[in-house]
Amino acid sequence: MIYFDHNASTPVRPEVQEEMGACLADLPANPSSLHREGQRARAALEKARGHVATLVGASADEVTFVSGGTEGDHAGLIGAALALEKRGRRVAISAIEHHAVHGAAHLLARLGFAVEHLRVGRDGMVDPRAAASLPPDTTVVAVMMANNETGVIQPVAEVAARAREAGLRTLCDAVQAAGKIPVDFEGLGVAYLVVSAHKLGGPKGVGALIVRHGAPFEPLFRGSAHEFGRRGGTENVPGIVGFGVAAELAAREVAAESQRLRRLRARFEAGVRAYFPGAIVHGERAPRLPNTVNASFPGARSDHLLMSLDARGVAVSAGAACASGAVEPSPVLSAMGVPRELAVCALRFSMGRTTSEHEVDEVIAALVESVKAARAMGKSGTGARA
Amino acid sequence: MIYFDHNASTPVRPEVQEEMGACLADLPANPSSLHREGQRARAALEKARGHVATLVGASADEVTFVSGGTEGDHAGLIGAALALEKRGRRVAISAIEHHAVHGAAHLLARLGFAVEHLRVGRDGMVDPRAAASLPPDTTVVAVMMANNETGVIQPVAEVAARAREAGLRTLCDAVQAAGKIPVDFEGLGVAYLVVSAHKLGGPKGVGALIVRHGAPFEPLFRGSAHEFGRRGGTENVPGIVGFGVAAELAAREVAAESQRLRRLRARFEAGVRAYFPGAIVHGERAPRLPNTVNASFPGARSDHLLMSLDARGVAVSAGAACASGAVEPSPVLSAMGVPRELAVCALRFSMGRTTSEHEVDEVIAALVESVKAARAMGKSGTGARA
């Protein structure tokens, strides 16, 4: 199996597995317990916190461990909006945010907040000027660091600067960026940042919400005084320890790995252009994550293509959400103005640490066969309704 | 080290460690991915769901995986309250609920809901009749299955029956009960139930919220269609797989293990009575978890006693919350009418699968020395302010 779906989840690194195994076996206690066993678990937790802080350029005490990107986005957006409620009951999110940010905004709307959406251009980028012209009762703006579907990198520092001038706080979902490109919380100038372990070689089920010193915040989960009072609940010690190891490795390797992935992407895109002159790479001219290619192969519906590649041992994601046989165009591509008939033919190829040149060539070869097969399926009406 | 703090967290079982290790190594994909790698992860997830359902007597599709008890309590209480908001904006919780339920109620209060508290008697039990006489705009009542500090088992089925008659839904935090006594979601007649893996031999960072078929519910975390639309976010596959193994073992062993722990508790309490005629076991006459003893040793402050036991290699929890050197009586004991001077002398001893008769005897011996030392510390004014 050739795994080209690293943006969905990337394999857990062996060093992470090993450390998590040791932790599961040797740290039975609750890190909130005051006895020595508890304090040993606490020490492991705080070591991991330091590694995560280093990876994103934050202070350790700004790091709040959460259960993943989805909780981080919810706790961040809702925690900021509630804390700033007296200033206004309106938040803004970019149109291409992850489902989790849309979900958090949905809950805020349910609670009576107004939600603005920042449009993106055809290149998939948010215009930073949009953050300067929001209604005056807006308190938080959410713009992701890199889009999970297209890989397009957003002008977060510019958005945050404009937002600050307008008196707004910025939340940045850096889930897809961290580990692939350098992330600098301090330099970005955002108030809140979210990262997830399983996108960078750590385990699923753990992430971090970074809250800047002094940034207004109300916890979503209350309990005892866990995580500086920002998140109740017994800490996921083995998961956090694994996250720490993955973050330490990622911080050390991100510059070189980023270059390596960029070369692989160039090789992949050259193959796509050579064999499919009609293919469209979405966000091609924007700055993008070095590992992500989102491309439409006209006439080859993404669900057919995904199945056909899977049968040839290649794992990718559809750029379109497929449910009950109906193919809906991705809201991200729709927001970029990609026409429906092209959007339903989009696939996301995402490479990672295990990807080799040989695999890139194999995927191109499999694509040549699969696009042919998918186009035939589409013509014969095989498969689900479009 | 003799570990008598199993209610805080209990060691991960070797079978769980092994299965989690295999999962970390062999299931890299996201279970939402449609390709074969994704479907392999999905299959592991669904197998675990079946085991958790069996443990608590629920259907698999009533099981929602969450990040632990704290999220389960928040998602359950808030999710139910929001879904029932049109009927009323009031919830009720027992006075002795876990911090997490109090936290969820706090957030609801923050959102404009009214919160009632059900009192408990001197034995630490909620009176089921209280659920029948709540204000008519109350929609949900939360009563835990067994208290985490005293182990006192609550009359949840009776509360739920009275609540149903009054048109209310019941949420039951069964975090401390599951794995120690049988839990029967169907038989309890509650609408929502919460369990946590790390209290029953699984890993930290994973739990389940059981939502009865047809029970009103709004998700706290939205995202894609994860967990039957009840909880967004990539599932914590290794944690959930570990939870499944622990649940399978617990379901098989709970009857015998419960008996074994009951004998150990009797031995422990006989020792306490023999050496400390003035000691008070809180909730002694109520039905209690077979593994939990919460006792006050008059004149021996719990923080002093905890330190002294720790120095002798015995790990326990204070029944009182210690922060910054000040000892505050536990709200649970206060709700039971335990006077302050006794409450600040309470310790929680909680046994588990690794506990032996020999350990029980060792703890009694260590207690004899430690109570003496703690009483001396108290008299000399050593340690923190009371």
Side-chain angles (χ1 to χ4, degrees):
Chain A
M1 180 63 98
I2 299 179
Y3 190 73
F4 259 48
D5 200 13
H6 289 267
N7 283 13
S9 198
T10 195
V12 176
R13 299 189 65 156
E15 300 90 333
V16 171
Q17 292 170 34
E18 195 178 322
E19 199 72 14
M20 286 181 70
C23 176
L24 285 166
D26 299 332
L27 293 177
N30 191 314
S32 293
S33 290
L34 298 175
H35 46 66
R36 278 175 291 172
E37 283 296 314
Q39 293 315 298
R40 287 209 302 129
R42 166 69 48 199
L45 199 65
E46 297 311 323
K47 185 178 163 196
R49 197 186 305 280
H51 288 314
V52 172
T54 301
L55 175 69
V56 300
S59 303
D61 62 353
E62 292 174 319
V63 174
T64 318
F65 287 117
V66 295
S67 66
T70 293
E71 182 186 332
D73 287 337
H74 280 74
L77 193 63
I78 297 168
L82 287 177
L84 290 159
E85 191 178 17
K86 281 185 184 154
R87 291 205 25 224
R89 288 175 57 86
R90 187 183 301 271
V91 302
I93 70 175
S94 90
I96 55 160
E97 290 301 297
H98 188 270
H99 286 302
V101 171
H102 280 283
H106 182 101
L107 182 52
L108 284 171
R110 175 72 184 71
L111 300 174
F113 283 74
V115 179
E116 302 288 321
H117 292 92
L118 306 184
R119 285 195 285 182
V120 297
R122 294 197 167 270
D123 56 0
M125 288 176 79
V126 170
D127 181 345
R129 288 171 299 185
S133 55
L134 288 160
D137 59 345
T138 314
T139 58
V140 197
V141 57
V143 175
M144 69 202 321
M145 190 153 174
N147 183 267
N148 48 309
E149 293 185 25
T150 61
V152 171
I153 297 170
Q154 304 298 320
V156 174
E158 292 81 348
V159 168
R162 301 258 185 175
R164 272 200 313 280
E165 283 168 26
L168 314 184
R169 262 75 175 195
T170 304
L171 167 75
C172 177
D173 174 331
V175 167
Q176 209 55 258
K180 299 187 183 108
I181 55 173
V183 174
D184 177 15
F185 179 63
E186 191 56 39
L188 285 172
V190 299
Y192 317 96
L193 186 105
V194 178
V195 288
S196 170
H198 81 103
K199 306 292 194 191
L200 52 82
K204 296 175 178 71
V206 57
L209 167 64
I210 321 292
V211 178
R212 186 172 293 277
H213 291 135
F217 185 72
E218 283 190 24
L220 189 60
F221 296 164
R222 287 165 194 272
S224 307
H226 303 98
E227 298 291 308
F228 314 101
R230 293 195 296 260
R231 200 270 191 186
T234 300
E235 297 89 343
N236 174 359
V237 180
I240 289 169
V241 163
F243 188 10
V245 174
E248 187 187 13
L249 293 168
R252 194 188 302 158
E253 299 170 2
V254 63
E257 180 63 3
S258 188
Q259 286 307 316
R260 194 186 74 87
L261 287 168
R262 205 176 304 275
R263 286 192 297 272
L264 290 174
R265 190 186 63 184
R267 187 182 185 97
F268 181 75
E269 291 186 353
V272 168
R273 274 191 291 270
Y275 288 99
F276 308 99
I280 284 138
V281 174
H282 302 291
E284 190 172 14
R285 277 169 306 193
R288 278 181 298 151
L289 291 178
N291 77 316
T292 307
V293 177
N294 190 314
S296 285
F297 301 87
R301 238 174 58 188
S302 51
D303 56 339
H304 295 159
L305 203 38
L306 189 150
M307 282 191 293
S308 186
L309 281 168
D310 192 31
R312 287 171 176 80
V314 177
V316 300
S317 268
C322 307
S324 333
V327 180
E328 284 304 318
S330 144
V332 170
L333 298 182
S334 298
M336 292 165 68
V338 176
R340 183 189 169 87
E341 64 273 19
L342 262 187
V344 297
C345 296
L347 274 198
R348 179 184 70 183
F349 304 87
S350 52
M351 296 173 283
R353 209 180 51 82
T354 56
T355 310
S356 64
E357 287 192 354
H358 177 69
E359 282 191 349
V360 167
D361 299 343
E362 293 276 311
V363 173
I364 292 291
L367 255 182
V368 171
E369 297 305 311
S370 298
V371 169
K372 227 180 280 177
R375 283 177 178 155
M377 276 194 251
K379 275 182 190 141
S380 70
T382 312
R385 284 156 296 127
Chain B
M1 181 59 103
I2 300 180
Y3 189 74
F4 259 50
D5 200 12
H6 289 268
N7 283 13
S9 198
T10 195
V12 176
R13 300 190 64 158
E15 299 90 333
V16 170
Q17 293 170 32
E18 195 178 322
E19 199 71 15
M20 286 180 71
C23 176
L24 286 166
D26 298 333
L27 293 177
N30 191 314
S32 294
S33 288
L34 298 176
H35 46 66
R36 278 175 291 172
E37 283 297 312
Q39 293 316 298
R40 285 208 304 128
R42 165 69 48 198
L45 198 66
E46 297 311 324
K47 185 177 163 196
R49 197 186 305 279
H51 289 313
V52 172
T54 301
L55 175 68
V56 300
S59 303
D61 61 355
E62 293 174 320
V63 174
T64 320
F65 286 116
V66 296
S67 66
T70 292
E71 182 187 331
D73 287 337
H74 279 74
L77 193 64
I78 297 167
L82 287 177
L84 290 159
E85 190 177 18
K86 281 186 183 152
R87 289 206 25 223
R89 288 173 58 86
R90 187 182 303 270
V91 301
I93 69 174
S94 91
I96 55 160
E97 291 301 295
H98 188 270
H99 287 302
V101 171
H102 281 283
H106 182 103
L107 183 52
L108 283 171
R110 175 73 184 74
L111 300 175
F113 283 75
V115 179
E116 303 289 323
H117 292 92
L118 306 185
R119 285 194 285 181
V120 298
R122 294 199 166 267
D123 56 359
M125 287 175 79
V126 171
D127 181 347
R129 287 170 300 186
S133 54
L134 288 160
D137 58 346
T138 314
T139 57
V140 197
V141 57
V143 175
M144 69 202 320
M145 189 153 175
N147 183 265
N148 47 309
E149 293 186 25
T150 61
V152 170
I153 297 170
Q154 304 299 320
V156 175
E158 292 82 349
V159 169
R162 302 257 185 174
R164 272 200 313 278
E165 282 167 25
L168 313 183
R169 262 76 174 195
T170 304
L171 167 75
C172 177
D173 174 330
V175 167
Q176 210 54 258
K180 300 187 184 105
I181 55 173
V183 174
D184 177 16
F185 179 63
E186 192 55 38
L188 285 171
V190 300
Y192 316 95
L193 186 106
V194 179
V195 288
S196 169
H198 81 105
K199 306 291 193 191
L200 52 84
K204 297 175 179 70
V206 57
L209 167 65
I210 322 291
V211 178
R212 187 172 292 278
H213 291 136
F217 185 73
E218 282 190 24
L220 190 59
F221 297 162
R222 287 166 194 272
S224 307
H226 303 100
E227 296 294 305
F228 313 101
R230 293 196 296 260
R231 201 268 191 186
T234 299
E235 296 89 344
N236 173 359
V237 181
I240 289 169
V241 163
F243 188 10
V245 174
E248 187 186 14
L249 293 169
R252 195 188 303 158
E253 300 170 2
V254 64
E257 180 63 2
S258 189
Q259 286 307 317
R260 194 186 74 88
L261 288 167
R262 206 176 303 274
R263 286 192 297 274
L264 291 173
R265 191 187 63 185
R267 187 182 186 96
F268 180 75
E269 289 186 354
V272 167
R273 273 191 292 270
Y275 289 96
F276 308 98
I280 285 137
V281 175
H282 301 292
E284 190 173 10
R285 276 169 306 194
R288 278 180 299 150
L289 291 178
N291 78 316
T292 308
V293 177
N294 191 314
S296 284
F297 301 86
R301 238 174 58 189
S302 53
D303 57 340
H304 295 159
L305 202 38
L306 189 151
M307 281 190 295
S308 186
L309 281 168
D310 192 30
R312 287 170 176 82
V314 177
V316 300
S317 267
C322 307
S324 333
V327 180
E328 284 302 319
S330 142
V332 170
L333 298 182
S334 299
M336 291 165 68
V338 176
R340 182 188 170 86
E341 63 275 18
L342 263 186
V344 298
C345 297
L347 273 197
R348 179 184 70 183
F349 304 87
S350 52
M351 297 173 282
R353 209 179 51 83
T354 56
T355 309
S356 63
E357 287 191 355
H358 177 69
E359 282 192 349
V360 167
D361 299 343
E362 293 275 313
V363 172
I364 292 291
L367 254 182
V368 170
E369 296 304 311
S370 298
V371 168
K372 229 180 277 175
R375 283 178 177 154
M377 275 194 252
K379 275 182 190 141
S380 71
T382 313
R385 284 154 296 128

